[in-house]
Amino acid sequence: MPIGKPKEPKAPKKEKKQKPPKEKKPKKGKGGAPEAAEQGEQPEKKKLPLIFLLIPAVVIVAAAVILFVFILPGRNADDPAEPTPSVEPSPPVLPSELPVGENVVPGMVLGSDEYLAQAVPAKTITYTYTDLVDAGKVAETYVGQLKGADPKFSMVDEEFVRVKESPDFTAPEGMVLMARNLPKPEPEPTASPEGEESADPEASSSPEAEQSPEVPESQAPVEEPESKVLTVRIQWSPGQCVVTADEELGKVTSPKPQQTSHGSISMSGAQTRLEGMSPAQLELPGESMDAYEVMAMDGTEMVNGAACIRLNVYNGKNAENSYQFMGGYLMSIDGQHLYRLDPVTNEIHELDYQP
């Protein structure tokens, strides 16, 4: 028997892990590129930048634009252009009939050579009042109505000069003309032509430019509008009265003062005359001039080429508003004309005044 303990069998030796073979780096050739042929692998292809891809697209678009814009239209250049038909002017469109009461009158027919013509209705309006008992009295009442209108009318002659003497309304037939001035529209300054170049700022600094005075804009030439009057012609005959209203060129004026032997009136004399008139004659409210104070002002003012004395009228001492300005008046120094000055518009109109 074997002496001693039996020997235990030895454990098997651990197997050594095999290291993976090292990858051989490709050899660089002369040009510095790896020798891929020896490894059997193909070299990777490099991607081109985006800008190189866009260049062909831009070139194609530009070529298409040149083709359609420049080349194709030029092929038809030799083709004769179609002639533009000439447009002949058409005759103006005018009313075919002109109404006159219950009847009509054929309208005017014009040719194409009058293609700019227009048919503008006249502003004249005529009314006939019939079946009147006293046509002269009706005309007289209507004249008073026009004198009291706002704005008021004046009795004038055919040249629109104010007259004082009224016609004889008791006569079987007669005529009276009333008129008033129409306000003028504001004149428009003449505009400088478009496209006109402004003056050179350097040229304005030259001595010649400094010597020439500049014309301010306020002195630019303006076109003065024409004066117009609104007229009312009243013609009466037995049983009827014809009233014709119209708008005419002209201006209502007062008669020029005549040189008389009456001499000149003093300031106190003009004041006394005004105090002896009625408020209605001076276009003032009330029944007596005792409620007013008349004051003559120093100096004279020119109206229609004649010197006039200025007279102001105020409320009396016992009035609710003592010494309130009620109106200004101008009496010619010969005492033959009396004018009223509007305190708001500063306009002057002559009153019906009998010295």
Side-chain angles (χ1 to χ4, degrees), residues 229-287:
V229 295
L230 186 61
T231 62
V232 179
R233 188 180 300 272
I234 307 167
Q235 294 176 294
W236 73 90
S237 59
Q240 73 174 13
C241 189
V242 180
V243 177
T244 303
D246 199 358
E247 184 178 295
E248 303 179 40
L249 294 177
K251 185 177 181 181
V252 177
T253 59
S254 298
K256 295 182 179 180
Q258 299 178 356
Q259 299 293 335
T260 61
S261 59
H262 296 289
S264 60
I265 191 172
S266 62
M267 294 175 58
S268 59
Q271 180 176 340
T272 302
R273 286 195 182 185
L274 216 65
E275 292 173 345
M277 299 176 64
S278 65
Q281 290 176 305
L282 299 177
E283 298 180 351
L284 295 173
E287 298 180 357

Side-chain angles (χ1 to χ4, degrees), residues 21 56 58 80 82 96 116 159 203 205 225 231 236 265 284 301 350 353:
V58 173
E82 296 182 0
S96 58
L116 296 176
E159 296 180 356
S205 60
T231 62
W236 73 90
I265 191 172
L284 295 173
E301 299 183 23
E350 188 173 3
Y353 162 70

Side-chain angles (χ1 to χ4, degrees), residues 197-212 214:
E197 297 182 357
S198 59
D200 188 0
E202 296 180 359
S204 60
S205 60
S206 61
E208 296 180 357
E210 294 179 356
Q211 293 178 0
S212 58
E214 296 182 356

